[in-house]
């Protein structure tokens, strides 16, 4: 696990914000990823919420120089295996199950598992996980809640995701137990649909400037 933890941290520490994307049309995946990378956001989470997701991950992994394509919304071992085969460099889940932990244990691709309570964090710590996704961040208690976990659960780092915007991201990034945040605001649906890649690069650069 230590090796995979370091691998995951080396990706998450590239930037303060990891874009969380829902890709509807695979043709937009490569130009979208290139626009994000141009703005400094190299680690990109493509969620498994659309039929285009796996092909989008594969395209970004194969064609976008400097990008680290990750897969999000991984719910089971079949998702994990498919995302790994598509070229994911990291895998993100909203929560965790025993079968998912077993699938992750057998893979070299690091898992960022989701947790929302102290008990869930403790359970994952027992499995060797030191870096977790805090989800859904705003709905589960926000930055204040996450900061309150820093002392009793010292040594655990989080990437909070869910309801985070440019305005409130600094609240999370100021927490001692936060390594980065996940956000969808850097790639608004209307900008992707219109192909406003320059606009997305500007939003990415704005997010990158939040560096801790």
């Amino acid at each position: 696990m230590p090796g995979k933890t370091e691998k995951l941290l080396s990706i998450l520490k590239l930037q303060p914000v990891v874009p969380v994307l829902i890709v509807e049309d695979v043709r937009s995946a490569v130009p979208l990823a290139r626009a994000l990378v141009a703005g400094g956001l190299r680690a990109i989470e493509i969620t498994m919420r659309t039929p285009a997701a796996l092909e989008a991950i594969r395209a970004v992994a194969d064609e976008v120089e400097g990008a680290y394509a990750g897969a999000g919304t991984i719910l089971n071992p079949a998702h994990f295996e498919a995302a790994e085969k598509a070229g994911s460099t990291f895998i993100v889940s909203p929560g965790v199950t025993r079968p998912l932990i077993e699938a992750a244990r057998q893979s070299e691709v690091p898992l960022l598992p989701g947790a929302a309570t102290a008990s869930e964090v403790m359970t994952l710590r027992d499995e060797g996980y030191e870096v977790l996704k805090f989800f859904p961040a705003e709905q589960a208690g926000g930055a204040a809640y996450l900061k309150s976990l820093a002392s009793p659960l010292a040594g655990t780092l989080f990437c909070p995701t869910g309801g985070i915007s440019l305005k409130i991201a600094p609240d999370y990034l100021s927490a001692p137990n936060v390594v980065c945040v996940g956000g969808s605001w850097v790639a608004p649906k209307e900008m992707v649909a219109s192909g406003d890649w320059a606009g997305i690069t500007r939003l990415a650069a704005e997010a990158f400037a939040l560096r801790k």
Side-chain angles (χ1 to χ4, degrees):
M1 184 67 72
K4 284 196 274 189
T5 298
E6 290 309 310
K7 187 185 294 186
L8 179 60
L9 278 175
S10 71
I11 295 171
L12 298 181
K13 286 182 175 179
L14 289 169
Q15 60 212 44
V17 180
V18 174
V20 179
L21 310 179
I22 298 175
V23 178
E24 302 283 356
D25 184 346
V26 71
R27 291 173 296 181
S28 68
V30 168
L32 172 56
R34 285 179 176 152
L36 292 166
V37 170
L41 306 185
R42 298 170 59 196
I44 298 166
E45 177 188 336
I46 297 172
T47 60
M48 297 273 280
R49 301 183 196 181
T50 69
L54 282 174
E55 197 177 341
I57 292 166
R58 188 173 293 109
V60 172
D62 290 346
E63 299 178 39
V64 184
E65 187 176 352
Y68 289 83
T73 322
I74 297 299
L75 305 179
N76 54 54
H79 276 172
F80 194 110
E81 183 180 0
E84 183 176 12
K85 286 182 176 177
S88 298
T89 55
F90 64 102
I91 285 176
V92 187
S93 61
V96 78
T97 63
R98 176 59 55 185
L100 194 55
I101 286 176
E102 289 303 320
R105 184 174 284 124
Q106 296 168 30
S107 171
E108 289 304 308
V109 179
L111 171 67
L112 179 67
T117 67
S119 294
E120 290 170 351
V121 174
M122 290 167 64
T123 298
L124 284 163
R125 280 163 62 108
D126 283 348
E127 295 291 338
Y129 287 90
E130 300 171 27
V131 187
L132 310 177
K133 172 182 180 175
F134 176 54
F135 178 83
E138 277 295 283
Q139 296 82 351
Y145 173 86
L146 195 52
K147 288 174 184 178
S148 74
L149 297 181
S151 181
L153 297 172
T156 302
L157 294 173
F158 295 91
C159 173
T161 304
I164 299 176
S165 65
L166 177 69
K167 182 179 179 181
I168 64 173
D171 294 340
Y172 285 93
L173 293 169
S174 68
N177 54 347
V178 168
V179 62
C180 62
V181 302
S184 58
W185 82 85
V186 293
K189 185 182 292 187
E190 59 276 10
M191 278 191 172
V192 175
S194 66
D196 185 3
W197 311 127
I200 288 172
T201 294
R202 284 194 298 274
L203 292 177
E206 195 175 38
F208 185 76
L210 296 172
R211 283 194 85 116
K212 294 182 74 165

